[in-house]
């Protein structure tokens, strides 16, 4: 089975990348539609499903390109793992204390990098859809928004994480109850 | 601070409670993502399986899946 998979590694990689791009495109459409609806609801008090289609069609390409740029920024964090992997001798993993420490430090730096990036770029989608900006302008506007409202953005993210955490705990507790 | 965080949250909950259709894009998103992922997985599965020749099918000894 492994030999069959290794024969088709390029096809599988191409399929995974194309599939990922299609999924990101679909998510971009509905995300921009949801933000458009939320904007309408905030401005007029009522939201309509037709707004989802309008906002989705209008911003899907820009949001898709912005999402890809953001994904590339996230992938750039892999550079933190390179020193550890480069020094690691995988044939004798037990005799690689220094490389292990380097790899662990790389993982920690990668986590910190991802955390900082996700906080800084938290407002990108909203800035892009609400201001109807292009992908680069959207990212810059999101960063600018974060600079001006640093404390509020972090606080709002913490509240969001707290709500998600409480929901997950409730979900776990409900899962334990046997009917 | 342009607006108090508590006011933002209460306004958000108030707006959402009056507009439950705001959840529709998220539900559609999940449905379409799952369907697309399923279709892509099926295509990938059959494209790999499709690479088998009839000789391998008729002669199990020649199959790389063994």
């Amino acid at each position: 089975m492994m030999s069959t998979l290794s024969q088709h590694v390029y096809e599988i990689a191409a399929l995974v990348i194309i599939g990922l791009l299609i999924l990101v495109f679909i998510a971009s459409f509905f995300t921009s539609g949801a933000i458009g609806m939320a904007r309408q609801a905030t401005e007029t008090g009522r939201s309509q499903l037709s707004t989802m289609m309008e906002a989705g069609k209008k911003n899907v390409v820009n949001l898709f390109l912005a999402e890809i740029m953001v994904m590339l920024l996230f992938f750039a964090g892999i550079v933190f793992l390179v020193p550890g992997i480069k020094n690691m001798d995988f044939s004798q993993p037990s005799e690689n204390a220094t490389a292990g420490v380097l790899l662990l430090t790389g993982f920690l730096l990668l986590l910190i990098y991802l955390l900082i990036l996700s906080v800084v770029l938290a407002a990108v989608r909203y800035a892009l859809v609400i201001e109807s900006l292009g992908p680069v302008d959207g990212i810059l506007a999101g960063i600018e928004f974060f600079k001006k409202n640093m404390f509020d953005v972090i606080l709002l993210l913490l509240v969001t994480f707290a709500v998600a955490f409480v929901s997950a705990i409730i979900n776990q507790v409900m899962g334990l109850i046997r009917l | 601070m342009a607006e108090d965080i508590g006011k933002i949250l209460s306004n958000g909950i108030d707006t959402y409670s009056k507009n439950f259709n705001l959840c529709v894009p998220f539900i559609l998103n999940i449905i379409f993502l799952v369907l697309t992922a399923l279709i892509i997985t099926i295509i990938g599965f059959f494209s790999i399986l499709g690479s088998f020749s009839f000789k391998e099918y008729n002669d199990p000894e020649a199959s790389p899946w063994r």
Side-chain angles (χ1 to χ4, degrees):
Chain A
M1 184 173 171
M2 288 306 287
S3 65
T4 310
L5 287 178
S6 60
Q7 279 170 15
H8 298 279
V9 70
Y10 292 115
E11 287 99 321
I12 292 168
L15 200 69
V16 167
I17 291 169
I18 291 167
L20 194 72
L21 290 177
I22 294 169
L23 293 181
V24 171
F25 191 83
I26 292 169
S28 300
F29 178 82
F30 287 114
T31 305
S32 48
I35 295 170
M37 279 178 76
R39 181 192 183 184
Q40 190 190 36
T42 312
E43 284 174 353
T44 64
R46 288 274 161 228
S47 64
Q48 293 170 327
L49 282 177
S50 58
T51 312
M52 180 188 84
M53 299 304 289
E54 281 170 28
K57 279 181 199 165
K58 192 178 171 188
N59 298 294
V60 63
V61 177
N62 289 334
L63 190 60
F64 173 67
L65 294 173
E67 293 278 6
I68 288 175
M69 285 180 194
V70 170
M71 267 166 60
L72 290 175
L73 284 174
F74 277 102
F75 280 133
I78 290 172
V79 78
F80 291 114
L81 300 178
V82 172
I85 292 172
K86 215 174 170 185
N87 289 318
M88 180 74 87
D89 181 9
F90 287 99
S91 58
Q92 293 170 321
S94 57
E95 294 173 12
N96 284 299
T98 318
V101 171
L102 265 176
L103 199 61
L104 196 68
T105 315
F107 266 119
L108 284 175
L109 286 173
L110 178 65
L111 282 179
I112 293 166
Y113 171 77
L114 294 180
L115 193 70
I116 291 170
L117 209 60
S118 54
V119 171
V120 171
L121 300 174
V124 167
R125 295 185 187 98
Y126 307 97
L128 190 145
V129 175
I130 289 169
E131 302 282 331
S132 294
L133 299 170
V136 178
D137 289 337
I139 291 172
L140 292 175
I143 294 169
E144 198 62 36
F145 181 83
F146 173 74
K147 276 185 193 167
K148 283 180 186 164
N149 306 281
M150 203 178 286
F151 179 73
D152 294 325
V153 172
I154 293 171
L155 197 64
L156 204 59
L157 277 177
L158 285 176
V159 170
T160 313
F161 281 134
V163 170
F165 187 68
V166 170
S167 304
I169 289 174
I170 291 170
N171 189 26
Q172 288 291 321
V173 171
M174 296 296 273
L176 290 174
I177 298 169
R178 288 172 188 236
L179 294 174
Chain B
M1 192 185 290
E3 208 166 358
D4 183 40
I5 189 89
K7 202 179 170 189
I8 291 174
L9 289 173
S10 63
N11 281 348
I13 293 167
D14 188 45
T15 308
Y16 186 64
S17 60
K18 286 174 186 165
N19 297 277
F20 274 121
N21 60 356
L22 282 174
C23 69
V24 172
F26 298 102
I27 293 169
L28 287 175
N29 187 24
I30 292 168
I31 293 169
F32 276 90
L33 288 186
V34 169
L35 279 177
T36 313
L38 210 65
I39 291 167
I40 291 166
T41 310
I42 290 168
I43 289 172
F45 188 69
F46 278 107
S47 63
I48 292 171
L49 273 186
S51 66
F52 282 118
S53 65
F54 280 105
K55 186 188 169 194
E56 286 166 357
Y57 183 77
N58 292 325
D59 180 15
E61 291 292 325
S63 172
W65 292 88
R66 276 175 55 86

